[in-house]
Amino acid sequence: MEEPHVQTRMQQSKGGKKFYEPTGRHGACSFIHNGRYCLLQAHEPYSYSRNEQSPLEVFDLHTAEWSTVTLHAANKPSQDNQETDRKLSSGKPKFDTGACCTVINNCLYTFGGLQHNADVHELNLTSMVWTHLKAQNSRDGPFLKDKAGMVAYGSHMVCVLGGYGRPGREHIVDGIRRGQKGAQYAWDSNEICCWTNELHLFHTEQCVWISPEMTGTRPPPCAAFTLTKVDPHRVVMFGGRQFSERVNQLHILNMENWHWSGAI
């Protein structure tokens, strides 16, 4: 496979020196890869349009220079290969504000966003090719939501926690909303969207959602919190929002036994 095309887009400064400068935005996803700070597009201010052709913007921490990398969509699997290929669909995510992401090995994984992407997407950071990892058991997966948290779990799973959103069609059975067992949902005034503390694992090879059995006291349903993996087995969650309130609690999740510490 050919190397991804990397180019430096330049703008003209008043002094004649050329430089690249990203546009202002909010709710973007960022990550570190090979010593470089990488930024995925999100909404520009006061704009709710989606740019499905957005490149990856890269800041080199050594040279202090920005550049862009063109991203591509994987080829659609053939009909003969669909049953055996774990990646059941091609295409880039309709990427927008409030998605969450994490890196495992040489792949970036994203979920959710304001437009409520229902599935996980994988970006190979060598080929710069997106693949849609369509879940085989969407009914067992999380609600459609944004401002959730995501961390890596092992070498083939991502963990998605909390967020604000709504149930998908697969979560409504006989007119009844079907959430995750043990999770809590704080519905807003219109009873359409909610804050949640549901936690799901997604297996990136098998393309299935898993609900681990947890003990201890879960954090309250909220969104827009920080979620940081501090060692191979512990995750720290702080803050977040529920209704008009901002939360100032810190919670620790032990991923070896799936035990929540309760508020600290």
Side-chain angles (χ1 to χ4, degrees):
M1 183 174 293
E2 295 181 357
E3 289 295 315
H5 176 60
V6 180
Q7 60 181 349
T8 302
R9 298 190 308 174
M10 311 300 276
Q11 295 180 350
Q12 192 78 26
S13 69
K14 292 182 179 179
K17 183 179 180 180
K18 293 182 178 181
F19 65 97
Y20 173 81
E21 185 177 70
T23 58
R25 78 219 39 195
H26 66 279
C29 273
S30 64
F31 59 98
I32 296 293
H33 180 64
N34 288 343
R36 299 185 299 173
Y37 174 80
C38 302
L39 187 66
L40 283 170
Q41 286 276 14
H43 289 155
E44 297 181 3
Y46 313 111
S47 171
Y48 287 87
S49 63
R50 295 173 298 184
N51 184 356
E52 297 181 34
Q53 305 303 318
S54 297
L56 182 70
E57 295 173 303
V58 179
F59 182 76
D60 192 304
L61 298 171
H62 300 291
T63 64
E65 293 180 343
W66 283 98
S67 62
T68 60
V69 180
T70 303
L71 306 180
H72 307 278
N75 295 326
K76 190 173 182 180
S78 65
Q79 292 293 328
D80 295 336
N81 197 36
Q82 279 191 358
E83 291 186 4
T84 58
D85 194 333
R86 69 182 177 98
K87 300 166 184 176
L88 302 180
S89 180
S90 63
K92 304 176 186 178
K94 296 177 180 178
F95 204 77
D96 54 16
T97 185
C100 54
C101 72
T102 193
V103 175
I104 300 178
N105 299 324
N106 200 47
C107 290
L108 173 76
Y109 296 92
T110 68
F111 172 80
L114 190 62
Q115 299 298 328
H116 294 162
N117 292 320
D119 291 309
V120 174
H121 287 76
E122 175 189 86
L123 175 63
N124 184 302
L125 295 173
T126 299
S127 63
M128 293 299 168
V129 171
W130 280 110
T131 304
H132 177 192
L133 305 184
K134 187 172 178 60
Q136 299 184 42
N137 59 337
S138 297
R139 179 175 290 186
D140 297 323
F143 278 11
L144 312 180
K145 55 192 179 181
D146 64 317
K147 302 180 183 70
M150 178 187 280
V151 294
Y153 176 62
S155 58
H156 298 294
M157 291 192 192
V158 296
C159 174
V160 178
L161 170 67
Y164 175 80
R166 58 180 174 81
R169 285 183 300 229
E170 64 274 10
H171 296 115
I172 301 176
V173 181
D174 297 329
I176 300 175
R177 294 178 296 217
R178 180 179 180 270
Q180 184 184 46
K181 181 180 179 181
Q184 297 169 305
Y185 301 87
W187 296 93
D188 60 16
S189 58
N190 60 22
E191 290 288 319
I192 296 176
C193 293
C194 66
W195 290 265
T196 178
N197 60 4
E198 59 183 15
L199 183 150
H200 294 84
L201 299 175
F202 182 79
H203 198 295
T204 60
E205 291 294 325
Q206 299 174 7
C207 289
V208 294
W209 289 105
I210 301 167
S211 294
E213 293 187 12
M214 288 176 285
T215 59
T217 302
R218 293 194 192 208
C222 63
F225 47 84
T226 67
L227 191 67
T228 306
K229 196 170 184 180
V230 296
D231 61 35
H233 306 296
R234 290 184 301 165
V235 175
V236 173
M237 172 186 177
F238 178 80
R241 176 182 175 179
Q242 181 188 119
F243 297 102
S244 60
E245 295 184 12
R246 269 62 176 179
V247 181
N248 68 346
Q249 298 176 348
L250 184 145
H251 298 258
I252 299 176
L253 173 64
N254 187 322
M255 300 177 79
E256 280 191 304
N257 56 13
W258 298 105
H259 179 79
W260 282 106
S261 66
I264 298 176

